[in-house]
Amino acid sequence: MNSSAEKNIAAKTKTTGAREVDDYLSRVPEDSRAALEHLRRTIKAIVPDAVEVISYQIPTFKYQGRMLVSYAAFAEHCSFFPGAAPIEAHRNELRSYQTSKGTIRFPASKPLPAALVKKLVKTRIEETESRQKQSAKR
């Protein structure tokens, strides 16, 4: 087997099958783990009632039975997934990060500031609660 095939298999094995967040985090490189653990602690402090699960093979916080935010480690970066609305609402504060619809990418060496994470998560909670109220009216 050639070297690139071995690396590809190792990469897949490393993060495939995590059933709990601690298991997922134990499988990522130390620098990424530190950045993601910081993000995790920040989210837990903002939403202590949120439930941690693995969804789509990545750590996810659920709030009131719905997906709130997710995060993950990749080879070249970490990602935070707060959804499109929070990113749009705080786009000026996210200018120094690579973003796409629903995703913020950041290097493990430069974790997202807790104050920014707090704003993003609170915006996501407001969006979720507003959507639930709208659904209840129907």
Side-chain angles (χ1 to χ4, degrees), residues 3-5 19 24-25 29 33 37 46 49 54 56 58 64 67 70 72 76 105 107 110 112 114 118 127 130 133 138:
S3 166
S4 65
R19 294 175 190 247
Y24 177 93
L25 292 171
R33 183 177 329 121
E37 286 177 343
I46 299 162
D49 296 339
I54 296 291
Y56 297 98
I58 62 172
Q64 297 180 349
M67 190 289 260
S70 300
E76 302 295 322
R105 287 174 207 80
K110 186 183 172 195
L112 294 172
K118 184 175 184 176
E127 174 195 17
S130 174
K133 286 178 187 173
R138 293 181 192 162

Side-chain angles (χ1 to χ4, degrees), residues 39 42-48 50 61 63-64 67-70 80-90 93-94 104 113-133:
L39 186 58
T42 302
I43 296 164
K44 280 183 173 183
I46 299 162
V47 195
F61 279 90
Y63 178 68
Q64 297 180 349
M67 190 289 260
L68 182 65
V69 296
S70 300
F80 180 48
F81 307 99
I87 290 174
E88 181 60 28
H90 301 285
E93 294 171 84
L94 292 167
I104 302 164
L116 178 57
V117 172
K118 184 175 184 176
K119 289 177 186 179
L120 292 162
V121 171
K122 286 188 171 202
T123 301
R124 179 69 176 167
I125 290 169
E126 290 168 7
E127 174 195 17
T128 300
E129 289 176 346
S130 174
R131 192 177 301 147
Q132 287 177 335
K133 286 178 187 173

Side-chain angles (χ1 to χ4, degrees), residues 1-107:
M1 188 165 19
N2 69 31
S3 166
S4 65
E6 288 172 343
K7 286 180 185 175
N8 193 20
I9 290 169
K12 286 180 181 177
T13 304
K14 196 173 201 177
T15 56
T16 299
R19 294 175 190 247
E20 295 180 3
V21 176
D22 289 329
D23 184 26
Y24 177 93
L25 292 171
S26 73
R27 299 174 187 214
V28 300
E30 191 173 328
D31 59 339
S32 295
R33 183 177 329 121
L36 295 181
E37 286 177 343
H38 173 73
L39 186 58
R40 181 186 190 192
R41 283 190 305 274
T42 302
I43 296 164
K44 280 183 173 183
I46 299 162
V47 195
D49 296 339
V51 177
E52 291 183 277
V53 299
I54 296 291
S55 182
Y56 297 98
Q57 298 181 358
I58 62 172
T60 299
F61 279 90
K62 288 182 127 186
Y63 178 68
Q64 297 180 349
R66 299 191 62 133
M67 190 289 260
L68 182 65
V69 296
S70 300
Y71 56 90
F74 297 94
E76 302 295 322
H77 65 277
C78 294
S79 288
F80 180 48
F81 307 99
I87 290 174
E88 181 60 28
H90 301 285
R91 70 177 175 267
N92 289 338
E93 294 171 84
L94 292 167
R95 283 188 302 235
S96 64
Y97 298 96
Q98 185 181 7
T99 62
S100 60
K101 186 175 182 177
T103 305
I104 302 164
R105 287 174 207 80
F106 59 95

